Amino acid sequence: MTPKPGLLTTLLEIALSFGLYYLFRAFGVGIFWALVIPAIAVGAVAVAVTIRRRRIDLMGLLVLTELAVTITVSLATQSPRVAALREVAYILVGGVFCLVTLVRRRPLAHTTAASMASFGDPKREKAFELAWTEEPRYRRWQRLLTATLGALMVGAGVIRAYILYAAPDSGIAHAVDVSNAVGTVMWVAVFVVPAVLIQPARRIVQDVLERLQATP
């Protein structure tokens, strides 16, 4: 399966945040600017992707707003600690957003899967719709997936926030390294766990699709 633009954008933003930070630090750039410049680069990528798509959804608006606010606050305070907490805030808000969708009619995992995996095929779109409305098992798996993603992000965000908040001023650089290690583990889990949990839901959708295709 070809990676979707949203996934590629997310991977690029992760690479920019982590890669540029350590690249700048290797060249002796101060910790504050080593944190802020990648954030500005991520913001530029997000804006460029939005312009290219010529539309913005709720999640996209949330990301752009959060980037703008956190970058502005970082520049205003000139605090490495605040700059380091920028990404943590991003993760926490994303995790809370996942969990909040559980109280809506359809959780984030389903809406994202239906949008990305239907490939514009009307029958696949109908298969996702029927799976949601007629298959309780499918709904349970999508809610479990959404809850797991939200819990991973919120849990990692809280741990990273504590690490950065509790560190002395002289130990911020080390705290950022430890926080990034926790973040790396979280991102691996965020990509691996859905690959496992999505399989039962995917099989249900495939069964529904096969029934639709067999119908004259």
Side-chain angles (χ1 to χ4, degrees):
M1 182 184 298
T2 301
K4 291 296 180 177
L7 176 58
L8 292 175
T9 301
T10 299
L11 292 174
L12 178 58
E13 291 176 355
I14 294 170
L16 284 173
S17 293
F18 283 81
L20 286 181
Y21 169 75
Y22 287 107
L23 178 64
F24 288 139
R25 291 294 287 162
F27 280 92
V29 176
I31 185 171
F32 175 77
W33 288 109
L35 288 164
V36 171
I37 293 174
I40 295 173
V42 168
V45 170
V47 170
V49 169
T50 300
I51 293 173
R52 184 178 178 182
R53 293 174 63 192
R54 297 182 180 179
R55 66 183 178 85
I56 185 169
D57 53 19
L58 179 60
M59 191 63 178
L61 179 61
L62 180 67
V63 169
L64 289 176
T65 301
E66 186 174 9
L67 281 168
V69 171
T70 53
I71 290 172
T72 300
V73 172
S74 297
L75 291 172
T77 61
Q78 295 285 301
S79 168
R81 193 187 306 273
V82 172
L85 286 167
R86 178 201 63 81
E87 186 192 346
V88 176
Y90 181 89
I91 298 303
L92 278 170
V93 171
V96 170
F97 181 82
C98 281
L99 297 176
V100 167
T101 65
L102 289 170
V103 302
R104 299 173 57 194
R105 183 166 177 261
R106 303 186 182 202
L108 182 64
H110 166 71
T111 56
T112 301
S115 173
M116 295 178 62
S118 60
F119 308 113
D121 182 348
K123 281 202 171 183
R124 291 188 69 87
E125 291 176 358
K126 187 174 182 180
F128 275 99
E129 179 65 23
L130 290 176
W132 178 261
T133 57
E134 298 181 1
E135 299 287 347
R137 290 184 302 123
Y138 175 82
R139 294 194 293 271
R140 286 196 296 270
W141 278 110
Q142 292 290 31
R143 288 194 173 105
L144 175 62
L145 176 55
T146 301
T148 302
L149 288 174
L152 282 171
M153 295 173 74
V154 170
V158 169
I159 292 171
R160 296 179 69 186
Y162 176 77
I163 291 170
L164 294 168
Y165 180 79
D169 292 342
S170 60
I172 288 296
H174 176 67
V176 170
D177 289 338
V178 176
S179 172
N180 284 345
V182 174
T184 299
V185 172
M186 182 211 71
W187 282 117
V188 170
V190 162
F191 282 101
V192 171
V193 171
V196 175
L197 293 183
I198 198 65
Q199 296 308 316
R202 179 178 293 175
R203 286 193 291 269
I204 293 170
V205 172
Q206 187 61 35
D207 290 343
V208 174
L209 180 61
E210 289 173 1
R211 292 201 300 268
L212 286 174
Q213 293 173 336
T215 303

